[in-house]
Amino acid sequence: RTGMFVYGIRAYVSVHERADRIFDYAIARMSSFIHFPVPWFCKRFNTIECCDHDRWGGSHICIGSPRIAGSKLTPSFIERDINRKLARR
């Protein structure tokens, strides 16, 4: 993360595709002073995916998709949803 900070990156989404269009995500910001509502994304994605025990989670700085099941949300959906939220700022 330090290298990203040097290059001006203050928030990010990292994605890894598993088999069968299942994805692993990490969504984070460098500090709580960066406007990137990580807790809101966590709550929203849990609601959309109807997660119960294996769910999106983490902290107010960094969250990840469900560890066992992964996420069925596509990278394009995640991108659009995040951009819509940030545009409403």
Side-chain angles (χ1 to χ4, degrees):
R1 289 185 0 182
T2 303
M4 288 191 290
F5 190 81
V6 169
Y7 290 104
I9 298 169
R10 301 297 184 254
Y12 64 90
V13 176
S14 173
V15 62
H16 172 262
E17 185 173 3
R18 298 183 191 179
D20 300 328
R21 306 230 356 117
I22 301 295
F23 301 93
D24 293 316
Y25 291 98
I27 299 174
R29 58 186 169 172
M30 294 299 178
S31 82
S32 58
F33 298 105
I34 304 299
H35 173 72
F36 194 69
V38 172
W40 186 89
F41 297 134
C42 186
K43 184 176 179 180
R44 173 145 171 85
F45 299 150
N46 276 322
T47 300
I48 292 169
E49 295 203 276
C50 300
C51 294
D52 192 15
H53 297 293
D54 185 29
R55 55 191 294 118
W56 288 79
S59 69
H60 68 286
I61 298 291
C62 182
I63 62 169
S65 55
R67 291 185 181 194
I68 298 168
S71 175
K72 294 179 183 173
L73 301 177
T74 64
S76 59
F77 176 85
I78 296 285
E79 178 184 15
R80 279 192 314 272
D81 208 53
I82 287 173
N83 286 337
R84 282 185 192 131
K85 177 65 176 169
L86 295 177
R88 287 188 217 130
R89 180 180 170 188

